[in-house]
Coordinates of all heavy atoms in Angstrom, one line a residue:
M1 N -42.3 -81.1 -80.4 CA -41.7 -79.8 -80.2 C -42.4 -78.8 -81.0 O -42.3 -77.6 -80.7 CB -40.3 -79.9 -80.6 CG -39.4 -79.4 -79.5 SD -37.7 -79.8 -79.7 CE -37.6 -81.2 -78.6
R2 N -43.3 -79.2 -82.0 CA -44.0 -78.2 -82.7 C -45.1 -77.6 -81.8 O -45.4 -76.4 -82.0 CB -44.8 -78.9 -83.8 CG -43.8 -79.4 -84.9 CD -44.5 -80.1 -86.1 NE -43.4 -80.7 -86.9 CZ -42.6 -80.1 -87.7 NH1 -42.7 -78.8 -87.9 NH2 -41.7 -80.8 -88.3
V3 N -45.4 -78.3 -80.7 CA -46.4 -77.7 -79.8 C -45.7 -76.5 -79.1 O -46.3 -75.5 -78.9 CB -46.7 -78.8 -78.8 CG1 -47.7 -78.2 -77.6 CG2 -47.6 -79.9 -79.4
L4 N -44.5 -76.8 -78.6 CA -43.7 -75.7 -77.9 C -43.6 -74.5 -78.8 O -43.7 -73.4 -78.4 CB -42.3 -76.2 -77.5 CG -42.2 -77.1 -76.3 CD1 -40.8 -77.7 -76.2 CD2 -42.6 -76.4 -75.0
D5 N -43.3 -74.8 -80.2 CA -43.0 -73.7 -81.0 C -44.3 -72.8 -81.2 O -44.2 -71.6 -81.2 CB -42.5 -74.3 -82.4 CG -42.0 -73.1 -83.3 OD1 -41.2 -72.3 -82.8 OD2 -42.4 -73.1 -84.4
A6 N -45.4 -73.6 -81.2 CA -46.7 -72.8 -81.4 C -47.0 -72.0 -80.2 O -47.5 -70.9 -80.3 CB -47.8 -73.8 -81.7
E7 N -46.6 -72.6 -79.0 CA -46.8 -71.8 -77.7 C -46.0 -70.5 -77.7 O -46.4 -69.5 -77.3 CB -46.5 -72.7 -76.5 CG -47.7 -73.7 -76.4 CD -47.2 -74.9 -75.4 OE1 -46.1 -75.0 -75.0 OE2 -48.2 -75.7 -75.0
L8 N -44.7 -70.6 -78.1 CA -43.9 -69.5 -78.3 C -44.5 -68.4 -79.1 O -44.5 -67.2 -78.7 CB -42.5 -69.8 -78.9 CG -41.4 -70.6 -78.1 CD1 -40.2 -70.9 -78.9 CD2 -41.1 -69.8 -76.8
L9 N -45.0 -68.8 -80.2 CA -45.6 -67.9 -81.1 C -46.7 -67.2 -80.5 O -46.9 -65.9 -80.6 CB -46.0 -68.7 -82.3 CG -46.1 -68.0 -83.7 CD1 -44.8 -67.2 -84.0 CD2 -46.5 -68.9 -84.8
D10 N -47.6 -68.0 -79.8 CA -48.8 -67.4 -79.2 C -48.3 -66.4 -78.1 O -48.8 -65.2 -78.1 CB -49.6 -68.6 -78.6 CG -50.8 -68.1 -77.7 OD1 -51.2 -66.9 -77.9 OD2 -51.3 -68.9 -77.0
F11 N -47.4 -66.8 -77.2 CA -47.1 -65.9 -76.1 C -46.3 -64.7 -76.6 O -46.5 -63.6 -76.1 CB -46.2 -66.6 -75.1 CG -46.9 -67.9 -74.5 CD1 -46.1 -68.9 -74.0 CD2 -48.3 -68.0 -74.5 CE1 -46.7 -70.1 -73.5 CE2 -48.8 -69.1 -74.1 CZ -48.1 -70.2 -73.6
R12 N -45.5 -64.9 -77.6 CA -44.7 -63.7 -78.2 C -45.8 -62.7 -78.8 O -45.6 -61.4 -78.5 CB -43.9 -64.2 -79.3 CG -43.0 -63.2 -79.9 CD -42.1 -63.8 -81.1 NE -41.2 -62.8 -81.6 CZ -41.6 -62.0 -82.6 NH1 -42.7 -62.0 -83.1 NH2 -40.7 -61.1 -83.1
G13 N -46.8 -63.2 -79.4 CA -47.8 -62.3 -79.9 C -48.5 -61.5 -78.8 O -48.7 -60.3 -78.9
R14 N -48.7 -62.2 -77.8 CA -49.4 -61.5 -76.6 C -48.5 -60.5 -76.0 O -49.0 -59.4 -75.6 CB -49.8 -62.6 -75.6 CG -50.9 -63.5 -76.0 CD -51.7 -63.9 -74.8 NE -51.8 -65.5 -74.8 CZ -52.2 -66.1 -73.7 NH1 -52.5 -65.5 -72.6 NH2 -52.3 -67.5 -73.8
L15 N -47.2 -60.8 -75.8 CA -46.3 -59.8 -75.2 C -46.2 -58.6 -76.2 O -46.1 -57.4 -75.6 CB -44.9 -60.4 -75.0 CG -44.8 -61.4 -73.9 CD1 -43.5 -62.3 -74.0 CD2 -44.7 -60.6 -72.6
I16 N -46.1 -58.8 -77.4 CA -46.0 -57.6 -78.4 C -47.2 -56.7 -78.3 O -47.1 -55.6 -78.4 CB -45.6 -58.2 -79.8 CG1 -44.3 -58.7 -79.8 CG2 -45.7 -57.0 -80.8 CD1 -43.8 -59.5 -81.1
E17 N -48.4 -57.4 -78.2 CA -49.6 -56.6 -78.2 C -49.9 -56.1 -76.8 O -50.9 -55.4 -76.6 CB -50.8 -57.5 -78.6 CG -50.8 -58.2 -80.0 CD -50.7 -57.0 -81.0 OE1 -51.4 -56.1 -80.9 OE2 -50.1 -57.3 -82.2
G18 N -49.1 -56.4 -75.9 CA -49.3 -55.9 -74.5 C -50.4 -56.6 -73.8 O -51.0 -56.1 -72.9
E19 N -50.8 -57.8 -74.3 CA -51.9 -58.5 -73.6 C -51.4 -59.3 -72.4 O -50.2 -59.5 -72.3 CB -52.5 -59.5 -74.7 CG -53.3 -58.9 -75.8 CD -53.7 -59.8 -76.9 OE1 -53.7 -61.1 -76.5 OE2 -53.9 -59.4 -78.0
S20 N -52.4 -59.6 -71.6 CA -51.9 -60.3 -70.4 C -51.5 -61.7 -70.7 O -52.0 -62.4 -71.6 CB -53.2 -60.3 -69.5 OG -53.2 -61.5 -68.7
L21 N -50.5 -62.2 -69.9 CA -50.1 -63.6 -70.0 C -50.7 -64.4 -69.0 O -50.3 -65.6 -68.7 CB -48.6 -63.7 -69.9 CG -47.7 -63.2 -71.1 CD1 -46.2 -63.3 -70.8 CD2 -48.1 -64.1 -72.3
D22 N -51.8 -63.9 -68.4 CA -52.5 -64.8 -67.4 C -52.8 -66.1 -67.9 O -53.5 -66.2 -69.0 CB -53.8 -64.1 -66.9 CG -53.5 -62.9 -66.0 OD1 -52.3 -62.7 -65.6 OD2 -54.4 -62.2 -65.6
G23 N -52.5 -67.1 -67.2 CA -52.8 -68.5 -67.7 C -51.9 -69.0 -68.8 O -52.1 -70.2 -69.2
A24 N -50.9 -68.3 -69.2 CA -50.0 -68.8 -70.3 C -49.1 -69.8 -69.6 O -48.5 -69.6 -68.5 CB -49.2 -67.6 -70.8
R25 N -49.0 -70.9 -70.3 CA -48.2 -72.0 -69.7 C -47.6 -72.8 -70.9 O -48.4 -73.2 -71.8 CB -49.0 -73.0 -68.9 CG -49.4 -72.6 -67.5 CD -50.1 -73.7 -66.8 NE -49.3 -74.8 -66.5 CZ -48.5 -74.9 -65.5 NH1 -48.4 -73.9 -64.7 NH2 -47.8 -76.0 -65.3
F26 N -46.4 -73.1 -70.8 CA -45.8 -74.1 -71.8 C -46.1 -75.4 -71.3 O -46.1 -75.7 -70.2 CB -44.2 -73.9 -71.8 CG -43.8 -72.7 -72.5 CD1 -43.3 -71.6 -71.8 CD2 -43.8 -72.6 -73.9 CE1 -42.8 -70.4 -72.5 CE2 -43.3 -71.5 -74.6 CZ -42.9 -70.4 -73.9
S27 N -46.3 -76.3 -72.3 CA -46.4 -77.7 -72.0 C -45.1 -78.2 -71.4 O -44.1 -77.8 -71.9 CB -46.7 -78.5 -73.2 OG -47.8 -78.0 -74.0
E28 N -45.2 -79.1 -70.4 CA -43.9 -79.5 -69.8 C -43.5 -80.9 -70.5 O -44.3 -81.8 -70.5 CB -44.0 -79.5 -68.4 CG -44.2 -78.2 -67.8 CD -44.1 -78.0 -66.3 OE1 -43.4 -78.9 -65.7 OE2 -44.9 -77.2 -65.7
Y29 N -42.3 -80.9 -71.0 CA -41.8 -82.1 -71.6 C -40.7 -82.6 -70.8 O -39.9 -81.8 -70.3 CB -41.2 -81.8 -73.0 CG -42.3 -81.6 -74.1 CD1 -42.8 -80.4 -74.4 CD2 -42.8 -82.8 -74.8 CE1 -43.8 -80.2 -75.3 CE2 -43.7 -82.6 -75.8 CZ -44.3 -81.3 -76.0 OH -45.2 -81.3 -76.9
R30 N -40.5 -83.9 -70.8 CA -39.3 -84.5 -70.2 C -38.4 -84.9 -71.4 O -38.6 -85.9 -72.1 CB -39.6 -85.7 -69.5 CG -40.5 -85.4 -68.3 CD -39.8 -85.7 -66.9 NE -40.3 -84.8 -65.9 CZ -39.5 -83.8 -65.3 NH1 -38.3 -83.7 -65.7 NH2 -40.0 -83.1 -64.4
F31 N -37.5 -84.0 -71.8 CA -36.7 -84.2 -72.9 C -35.9 -85.5 -72.9 O -35.6 -86.1 -73.9 CB -35.7 -83.1 -73.2 CG -36.4 -81.9 -73.7 CD1 -36.9 -80.8 -72.9 CD2 -36.6 -81.7 -75.1 CE1 -37.5 -79.7 -73.4 CE2 -37.1 -80.6 -75.6 CZ -37.7 -79.6 -74.8
T32 N -35.5 -85.8 -71.6 CA -34.6 -86.9 -71.5 C -35.4 -88.3 -71.8 O -34.8 -89.2 -72.0 CB -34.0 -87.0 -70.1 OG1 -35.0 -86.7 -69.2 CG2 -32.9 -86.0 -70.0
E33 N -36.7 -88.2 -71.9 CA -37.6 -89.3 -72.2 C -37.9 -89.4 -73.7 O -38.5 -90.3 -74.1 CB -38.7 -89.4 -71.3 CG -38.4 -89.8 -69.9 CD -39.6 -89.4 -68.9 OE1 -40.7 -89.3 -69.3 OE2 -39.2 -89.4 -67.7
L34 N -37.6 -88.3 -74.4 CA -38.0 -88.3 -75.8 C -37.0 -89.3 -76.6 O -35.9 -89.5 -76.1 CB -37.7 -86.9 -76.4 CG -38.8 -85.8 -76.0 CD1 -38.3 -84.5 -76.7 CD2 -40.1 -86.2 -76.4
E35 N -37.4 -89.8 -77.7 CA -36.5 -90.6 -78.4 C -36.1 -89.9 -79.6 O -36.9 -90.0 -80.7 CB -37.2 -92.0 -78.6 CG -37.4 -92.7 -77.3 CD -37.7 -94.2 -77.5 OE1 -37.3 -94.7 -78.5 OE2 -38.2 -94.8 -76.6
P36 N -35.0 -89.3 -79.7 CA -34.6 -88.7 -81.0 C -34.5 -89.7 -82.1 O -34.1 -90.8 -81.8 CB -33.2 -88.0 -80.7 CG -33.1 -88.1 -79.2 CD -33.9 -89.3 -78.7
T37 N -34.8 -89.2 -83.3 CA -34.7 -90.0 -84.5 C -33.3 -90.5 -84.7 O -33.0 -91.5 -85.3 CB -35.2 -89.3 -85.7 OG1 -34.8 -88.0 -85.6 CG2 -36.7 -89.4 -85.7
D38 N -32.3 -89.8 -84.2 CA -30.9 -90.1 -84.4 C -30.1 -89.9 -83.1 O -30.1 -88.9 -82.5 CB -30.4 -89.0 -85.4 CG -28.9 -89.2 -85.7 OD1 -28.2 -90.0 -85.0 OD2 -28.4 -88.6 -86.6
S39 N -29.6 -91.0 -82.6 CA -29.0 -91.0 -81.2 C -27.8 -90.1 -81.1 O -27.4 -89.7 -80.0 CB -28.7 -92.4 -80.8 OG -27.8 -93.0 -81.6
T40 N -27.2 -89.7 -82.3 CA -26.1 -88.7 -82.2 C -26.5 -87.4 -81.6 O -25.7 -86.6 -81.3 CB -25.4 -88.6 -83.6 OG1 -26.3 -88.1 -84.4 CG2 -24.8 -89.8 -84.1
M41 N -27.9 -87.2 -81.6 CA -28.3 -85.9 -81.1 C -28.3 -85.9 -79.6 O -28.3 -84.8 -79.0 CB -29.8 -85.8 -81.5 CG -29.9 -85.5 -83.0 SD -31.6 -85.5 -83.4 CE -31.4 -85.0 -85.1
L42 N -28.1 -87.1 -79.0 CA -27.9 -87.1 -77.5 C -26.5 -86.7 -77.2 O -25.8 -87.6 -76.7 CB -28.4 -88.4 -77.0 CG -29.9 -88.7 -77.2 CD1 -30.3 -90.0 -76.7 CD2 -30.8 -87.6 -76.5
V43 N -26.1 -85.6 -77.5 CA -24.7 -85.2 -77.2 C -24.5 -85.0 -75.7 O -25.4 -84.9 -75.0 CB -24.4 -83.8 -78.0 CG1 -24.4 -84.0 -79.4 CG2 -25.4 -82.8 -77.5
D44 N -23.1 -84.9 -75.5 CA -22.8 -84.7 -74.1 C -23.5 -83.4 -73.6 O -23.5 -82.5 -74.3 CB -21.3 -84.5 -73.9 CG -20.6 -85.8 -74.2 OD1 -21.2 -86.8 -74.2 OD2 -19.3 -85.7 -74.4
G45 N -23.9 -83.4 -72.4 CA -24.5 -82.3 -72.0 C -26.1 -82.1 -72.2 O -26.7 -81.2 -71.8
F46 N -26.6 -83.0 -73.0 CA -28.0 -83.0 -73.4 C -28.9 -83.0 -72.1 O -29.8 -82.2 -72.0 CB -28.4 -84.2 -74.2 CG -29.8 -84.1 -74.7 CD1 -30.0 -83.5 -76.1 CD2 -30.8 -84.7 -74.1 CE1 -31.3 -83.4 -76.5 CE2 -32.2 -84.6 -74.6 CZ -32.4 -84.0 -75.8
Q47 N -28.5 -83.8 -71.2 CA -29.3 -83.9 -70.0 C -29.2 -82.6 -69.2 O -30.3 -82.1 -68.7 CB -28.8 -85.0 -69.1 CG -29.7 -85.2 -67.9 CD -29.7 -86.7 -67.6 OE1 -29.1 -87.5 -68.1 NE2 -30.6 -87.0 -66.6
A48 N -28.0 -82.0 -69.1 CA -27.9 -80.7 -68.4 C -28.8 -79.6 -69.1 O -29.4 -78.8 -68.5 CB -26.5 -80.3 -68.3
L49 N -28.7 -79.6 -70.5 CA -29.4 -78.6 -71.3 C -31.0 -78.8 -71.1 O -31.7 -77.8 -70.9 CB -29.1 -78.7 -72.8 CG -27.7 -78.3 -73.1 CD1 -27.3 -78.8 -74.4 CD2 -27.7 -76.8 -73.1
S50 N -31.4 -80.1 -71.0 CA -32.8 -80.3 -70.9 C -33.3 -79.9 -69.5 O -34.3 -79.3 -69.3 CB -33.2 -81.6 -71.2 OG -32.3 -82.6 -70.9
M51 N -32.5 -80.1 -68.5 CA -32.8 -79.7 -67.2 C -32.9 -78.2 -67.0 O -33.8 -77.7 -66.3 CB -31.8 -80.3 -66.1 CG -32.1 -81.8 -65.9 SD -30.7 -82.6 -65.0 CE -30.8 -81.7 -63.5
A52 N -31.9 -77.5 -67.6 CA -31.9 -76.1 -67.6 C -33.2 -75.5 -68.3 O -33.8 -74.7 -67.8 CB -30.7 -75.5 -68.3
F53 N -33.5 -76.2 -69.4 CA -34.7 -75.7 -70.2 C -36.0 -75.9 -69.3 O -36.8 -75.1 -69.3 CB -34.8 -76.4 -71.5 CG -36.0 -76.1 -72.3 CD1 -36.0 -74.9 -73.0 CD2 -37.1 -76.8 -72.3 CE1 -37.0 -74.4 -73.8 CE2 -38.2 -76.4 -73.1 CZ -38.2 -75.3 -73.8
E54 N -36.1 -77.1 -68.7 CA -37.3 -77.4 -67.9 C -37.4 -76.4 -66.7 O -38.5 -76.0 -66.4 CB -37.2 -78.8 -67.4 CG -37.5 -79.9 -68.4 CD -37.1 -81.3 -68.1 OE1 -36.9 -81.6 -66.9 OE2 -37.0 -82.1 -69.0
R55 N -36.3 -75.9 -66.3 CA -36.3 -75.0 -65.2 C -36.9 -73.6 -65.6 O -37.7 -73.0 -65.1 CB -34.9 -74.8 -64.5 CG -35.0 -74.1 -63.1 CD -33.6 -74.1 -62.5 NE -32.7 -73.3 -63.3 CZ -31.6 -73.7 -63.8 NH1 -31.2 -75.0 -63.6 NH2 -30.9 -73.0 -64.6
H56 N -36.4 -73.2 -66.9 CA -36.9 -72.0 -67.5 C -38.4 -72.1 -67.7 O -39.1 -71.1 -67.4 CB -36.2 -71.7 -68.8 CG -34.8 -71.3 -68.7 ND1 -34.3 -70.3 -67.8 CD2 -33.7 -71.7 -69.3 CE1 -33.0 -70.2 -67.9 NE2 -32.6 -71.1 -68.8
V57 N -38.8 -73.2 -68.2 CA -40.2 -73.4 -68.4 C -41.0 -73.3 -67.1 O -42.1 -72.6 -67.0 CB -40.5 -74.7 -69.2 CG1 -42.0 -75.1 -69.1 CG2 -40.1 -74.6 -70.6
A58 N -40.5 -74.0 -66.1 CA -41.3 -74.0 -64.9 C -41.3 -72.5 -64.3 O -42.4 -72.1 -63.7 CB -40.6 -74.9 -63.8
E59 N -40.3 -71.8 -64.4 CA -40.3 -70.4 -63.9 C -41.3 -69.5 -64.6 O -42.0 -68.7 -64.1 CB -38.9 -69.8 -63.9 CG -38.0 -70.3 -62.8 CD -36.5 -70.0 -62.9 OE1 -36.1 -69.2 -63.8 OE2 -35.7 -70.4 -62.1
F60 N -41.2 -69.7 -66.0 CA -42.3 -69.0 -66.8 C -43.7 -69.4 -66.4 O -44.5 -68.5 -66.2 CB -42.0 -69.2 -68.3 CG -43.0 -68.5 -69.2 CD1 -42.7 -67.3 -69.8 CD2 -44.3 -69.1 -69.4 CE1 -43.7 -66.6 -70.6 CE2 -45.2 -68.5 -70.3 CZ -44.9 -67.2 -70.8
N61 N -43.9 -70.6 -66.3 CA -45.3 -71.1 -66.0 C -45.7 -70.6 -64.6 O -47.0 -70.4 -64.4 CB -45.3 -72.7 -66.0 CG -45.2 -73.2 -67.4 OD1 -45.4 -72.4 -68.4 ND2 -45.0 -74.4 -67.6
A62 N -44.8 -70.4 -63.6 CA -45.2 -70.0 -62.4 C -45.6 -68.5 -62.4 O -46.5 -68.1 -61.7 CB -44.1 -70.3 -61.3
A63 N -44.9 -67.7 -63.2 CA -45.1 -66.3 -63.2 C -44.7 -65.7 -64.6 O -43.6 -65.2 -64.7 CB -44.4 -65.6 -62.1
P64 N -45.5 -65.8 -65.6 CA -45.1 -65.6 -67.0 C -44.8 -64.0 -67.1 O -45.6 -63.2 -66.7 CB -46.2 -66.0 -67.9 CG -47.4 -66.3 -67.0 CD -46.9 -66.5 -65.6
D65 N -43.6 -63.7 -67.8 CA -43.4 -62.3 -68.1 C -42.3 -62.4 -69.3 O -41.8 -63.4 -69.6 CB -42.9 -61.5 -66.9 CG -41.6 -61.9 -66.4 OD1 -40.8 -62.6 -67.1 OD2 -41.3 -61.5 -65.3
A66 N -42.1 -61.1 -69.8 CA -41.2 -61.1 -71.0 C -39.8 -61.6 -70.7 O -39.2 -62.3 -71.5 CB -41.1 -59.6 -71.5
E67 N -39.3 -61.3 -69.6 CA -37.9 -61.8 -69.2 C -37.8 -63.3 -69.2 O -36.9 -63.9 -69.7 CB -37.6 -61.2 -67.9 CG -36.1 -61.1 -67.6 CD -35.8 -60.5 -66.2 OE1 -36.6 -59.5 -65.8 OE2 -35.0 -61.1 -65.5
K68 N -38.9 -63.9 -68.6 CA -38.8 -65.4 -68.5 C -39.1 -66.1 -69.9 O -38.6 -67.1 -70.2 CB -39.8 -65.9 -67.4 CG -39.4 -65.4 -66.0 CD -40.2 -66.1 -65.0 CE -40.1 -65.3 -63.6 NZ -41.1 -64.3 -63.5
Y69 N -39.9 -65.3 -70.6 CA -40.1 -65.8 -72.1 C -38.7 -65.9 -72.7 O -38.4 -66.8 -73.4 CB -41.1 -64.9 -72.8 CG -41.2 -65.1 -74.3 CD1 -42.1 -66.0 -74.7 CD2 -40.4 -64.6 -75.2 CE1 -42.3 -66.3 -76.1 CE2 -40.4 -64.8 -76.5 CZ -41.4 -65.7 -76.9 OH -41.5 -66.0 -78.2
A70 N -37.9 -64.8 -72.6 CA -36.6 -64.7 -73.3 C -35.7 -65.8 -72.8 O -35.0 -66.4 -73.6 CB -36.0 -63.3 -73.0
A71 N -35.9 -66.2 -71.5 CA -35.0 -67.3 -71.0 C -35.4 -68.6 -71.6 O -34.5 -69.4 -71.9 CB -35.1 -67.3 -69.5
V72 N -36.7 -68.8 -71.9 CA -37.1 -70.0 -72.5 C -36.6 -70.1 -73.9 O -36.0 -71.1 -74.4 CB -38.7 -70.1 -72.6 CG1 -39.1 -71.3 -73.4 CG2 -39.2 -70.3 -71.1
V73 N -36.7 -69.0 -74.7 CA -36.2 -69.0 -76.0 C -34.7 -69.3 -76.1 O -34.1 -70.0 -76.9 CB -36.5 -67.7 -76.8 CG1 -35.9 -67.7 -78.2 CG2 -37.9 -67.4 -76.9
G74 N -34.0 -68.7 -75.1 CA -32.5 -69.0 -74.9 C -32.2 -70.4 -74.7 O -31.3 -71.0 -75.2
G75 N -33.2 -71.1 -73.9 CA -33.0 -72.5 -73.6 C -33.2 -73.3 -74.9 O -32.5 -74.3 -75.0
C76 N -34.1 -72.9 -75.8 CA -34.3 -73.7 -77.0 C -33.1 -73.6 -77.8 O -32.6 -74.5 -78.4 CB -35.4 -73.0 -77.9 SG -37.1 -72.8 -77.2
E77 N -32.5 -72.4 -77.9 CA -31.3 -72.2 -78.7 C -30.1 -72.9 -78.1 O -29.4 -73.5 -78.8 CB -31.0 -70.6 -78.8 CG -32.0 -70.0 -79.7 CD -31.7 -68.5 -79.9 OE1 -31.2 -67.9 -79.0 OE2 -31.9 -68.0 -81.0
A78 N -29.9 -72.9 -76.9 CA -28.8 -73.5 -76.2 C -28.7 -75.0 -76.6 O -27.7 -75.5 -77.0 CB -28.8 -73.3 -74.8
C79 N -29.9 -75.6 -76.5 CA -29.8 -77.0 -76.8 C -29.7 -77.3 -78.3 O -29.0 -78.2 -78.7 CB -31.1 -77.8 -76.3 SG -31.0 -79.5 -76.5
H80 N -30.3 -76.5 -79.1 CA -30.3 -76.7 -80.6 C -28.9 -76.4 -81.2 O -28.6 -77.1 -82.1 CB -31.4 -75.9 -81.3 CG -32.7 -76.7 -81.3 ND1 -33.1 -77.6 -82.3 CD2 -33.6 -76.8 -80.4 CE1 -34.2 -78.2 -82.0 NE2 -34.6 -77.8 -80.9
M81 N -28.2 -75.5 -80.6 CA -26.8 -75.3 -81.1 C -26.1 -76.5 -80.9 O -25.1 -76.8 -81.8 CB -26.3 -74.1 -80.3 CG -26.6 -72.8 -80.9 SD -25.7 -71.6 -79.9 CE -27.1 -70.4 -79.7
R82 N -26.3 -77.2 -79.9 CA -25.5 -78.4 -79.6 C -26.0 -79.7 -80.4 O -25.2 -80.5 -80.8 CB -25.5 -78.7 -78.1 CG -24.8 -77.7 -77.3 CD -23.2 -77.8 -77.3 NE -22.7 -79.1 -76.9 CZ -22.5 -79.3 -75.7 NH1 -22.6 -78.4 -74.7 NH2 -22.0 -80.5 -75.4
S83 N -27.4 -79.8 -80.3 CA -27.9 -81.1 -80.7 C -28.4 -81.2 -82.1 O -28.5 -82.2 -82.7 CB -28.9 -81.5 -79.7 OG -30.0 -80.7 -79.8
C84 N -29.0 -80.1 -82.6 CA -29.8 -80.2 -83.8 C -30.0 -78.8 -84.4 O -31.0 -78.1 -84.0 CB -31.1 -80.9 -83.4 SG -32.5 -80.7 -84.4
P85 N -29.0 -78.3 -85.1 CA -29.0 -76.8 -85.5 C -30.1 -76.5 -86.5 O -30.5 -75.3 -86.7 CB -27.7 -76.6 -86.2 CG -26.9 -77.9 -86.0 CD -27.8 -78.9 -85.5
G86 N -30.8 -77.5 -87.1 CA -31.8 -77.2 -88.2 C -32.8 -76.2 -87.8 O -33.0 -75.2 -88.6
P87 N -33.5 -76.3 -86.7 CA -34.6 -75.3 -86.3 C -34.0 -73.9 -85.8 O -34.9 -73.1 -85.5 CB -35.5 -76.1 -85.4 CG -35.0 -77.5 -85.4 CD -33.5 -77.5 -85.8
L88 N -32.8 -73.8 -85.7 CA -32.2 -72.5 -85.1 C -32.8 -71.3 -85.8 O -33.1 -70.3 -85.1 CB -30.7 -72.5 -85.1 CG -30.0 -73.2 -83.9 CD1 -28.5 -73.2 -84.2 CD2 -30.4 -72.7 -82.6
E89 N -32.9 -71.3 -87.1 CA -33.3 -70.2 -87.9 C -34.8 -69.8 -87.4 O -35.1 -68.7 -87.3 CB -33.3 -70.5 -89.4 CG -33.1 -69.3 -90.3 CD -32.9 -69.7 -91.7 OE1 -32.1 -70.6 -91.9 OE2 -33.6 -69.2 -92.5
R90 N -35.6 -70.9 -87.4 CA -37.0 -70.7 -87.0 C -37.0 -70.1 -85.5 O -37.7 -69.2 -85.1 CB -37.8 -71.9 -87.0 CG -39.2 -71.7 -86.8 CD -40.1 -72.8 -86.6 NE -39.9 -74.0 -87.5 CZ -40.8 -75.0 -87.5 NH1 -41.8 -75.0 -86.6 NH2 -40.5 -76.1 -88.2
I91 N -36.2 -70.7 -84.6 CA -36.2 -70.3 -83.2 C -35.8 -68.8 -83.1 O -36.3 -68.1 -82.3 CB -35.5 -71.2 -82.3 CG1 -36.0 -72.6 -82.3 CG2 -35.3 -70.8 -80.9 CD1 -35.1 -73.7 -81.8
A92 N -34.8 -68.4 -84.0 CA -34.3 -67.0 -83.9 C -35.5 -66.0 -84.1 O -35.5 -64.9 -83.5 CB -33.3 -66.8 -84.9
K93 N -36.5 -66.4 -84.8 CA -37.7 -65.5 -85.0 C -38.6 -65.4 -83.8 O -39.6 -64.7 -83.8 CB -38.5 -66.1 -86.2 CG -37.7 -66.0 -87.5 CD -38.6 -66.2 -88.7 CE -37.7 -66.4 -89.9 NZ -37.9 -67.7 -90.6
R94 N -38.3 -66.2 -82.8 CA -39.2 -66.2 -81.6 C -38.7 -65.2 -80.6 O -39.3 -65.0 -79.6 CB -39.3 -67.6 -81.0 CG -39.7 -68.7 -81.9 CD -41.2 -68.4 -82.4 NE -41.6 -69.5 -83.3 CZ -41.8 -69.3 -84.6 NH1 -41.6 -68.0 -85.1 NH2 -42.1 -70.2 -85.4
H95 N -37.5 -64.6 -80.7 CA -37.1 -63.5 -79.9 C -38.0 -62.4 -79.9 O -38.6 -62.1 -80.9 CB -35.7 -63.1 -80.2 CG -34.6 -64.0 -79.8 ND1 -34.3 -64.3 -78.5 CD2 -33.7 -64.8 -80.5 CE1 -33.3 -65.2 -78.4 NE2 -33.0 -65.5 -79.6
L96 N -38.1 -61.7 -78.8 CA -39.0 -60.5 -78.8 C -38.2 -59.4 -79.5 O -37.0 -59.3 -79.5 CB -39.2 -60.0 -77.4 CG -40.2 -61.0 -76.6 CD1 -40.0 -60.6 -75.1 CD2 -41.6 -60.9 -77.1
P97 N -38.9 -58.4 -80.1 CA -38.2 -57.3 -80.7 C -37.5 -56.5 -79.7 O -37.8 -56.6 -78.5 CB -39.4 -56.5 -81.3 CG -40.6 -57.2 -81.3 CD -40.4 -58.4 -80.2
D98 N -36.5 -55.7 -80.1 CA -35.8 -54.9 -79.1 C -36.7 -54.0 -78.3 O -37.7 -53.5 -78.8 CB -34.8 -53.9 -79.9 CG -33.6 -54.8 -80.4 OD1 -33.5 -56.0 -80.0 OD2 -32.8 -54.3 -81.2
G99 N -36.4 -53.9 -77.0 CA -37.2 -53.0 -76.2 C -38.4 -53.7 -75.6 O -39.1 -53.0 -74.9
Q100 N -38.6 -54.9 -75.9 CA -39.8 -55.6 -75.2 C -39.4 -56.5 -74.1 O -38.3 -57.1 -74.2 CB -40.6 -56.4 -76.3 CG -41.1 -55.5 -77.4 CD -42.7 -55.6 -77.5 OE1 -43.3 -56.2 -76.6 NE2 -43.2 -55.0 -78.5
Ligands
LIG1 C1 -32.8 -80.2 -74.4 C2 -32.6 -80.1 -75.9 C3 -33.7 -79.4 -76.6 C4 -34.5 -78.2 -76.2 C5 -34.4 -77.5 -74.9 C6 -35.3 -77.9 -77.3 N1 -35.1 -78.8 -78.4 FE1 -36.1 -78.8 -80.1 N2 -35.2 -80.5 -80.6 C7 -34.2 -81.2 -79.9 C8 -33.9 -82.4 -80.6 C9 -32.8 -83.4 -80.2 C10 -34.7 -82.5 -81.8 C11 -34.7 -83.5 -82.8 C12 -35.8 -84.5 -82.4 C13 -35.8 -85.7 -83.3 O1 -35.3 -85.7 -84.4 O2 -36.5 -86.6 -82.9 C14 -35.5 -81.3 -81.8 C15 -36.4 -80.9 -82.8 C16 -37.0 -79.7 -82.9 C17 -37.8 -79.3 -84.1 C18 -38.0 -80.0 -85.4 C19 -38.9 -81.2 -85.1 C20 -40.2 -80.9 -84.7 O3 -40.7 -81.6 -83.7 O4 -40.8 -80.0 -85.2 C21 -38.2 -77.9 -83.8 C22 -39.0 -77.0 -84.7 C23 -37.7 -77.7 -82.5 N3 -37.0 -78.7 -81.9 C24 -38.0 -76.4 -81.8 C25 -37.7 -76.2 -80.5 C26 -38.2 -75.0 -79.7 C27 -39.0 -73.9 -80.3 C28 -37.7 -75.2 -78.5 C29 -37.9 -74.3 -77.3 C30 -39.3 -74.0 -76.9 C31 -36.9 -76.4 -78.4 N4 -37.0 -77.0 -79.7 C32 -36.2 -76.8 -77.3 C33 -33.7 -80.7 -78.8 C34 -34.2 -79.7 -78.0

């Protein structure tokens, strides 16, 4: 997931600088195939959350823009609120500044 976080940082920087997102793509993960270190993280709804997240990623990858970037960050948060709140503080910093 550090890869995804690095990608967020890269695309966020490009959006803020007004650079093109041509070719920007998130790596596609199958969350349901990951093996969490602690199985209690596989809370109810994990599968639904991962499917929603994968859909946001696919939509961004097909046609990247600021709105779809925001949907991906929202997807990170939605799952982390439920399954693993630790990284939420870090993910909060991946939102675009107001007005972008
Ligand atoms: C469908 C659920 C889900 C989604 C979506 C999700 N995560 Fe996670 N994330 C987890 C779980 C569960 C763990 C704990 C994994 C473990 O301990 O093996 C984790 C771990 C992490 C970690 C700490 C461990 C590491 O690999 O660095 C970070 C940082 C992180 N996620 C960031 C993100 C970011 C950024 C996104 C969005 C791009 C994201 N996550 C999307 C469930 C999710």
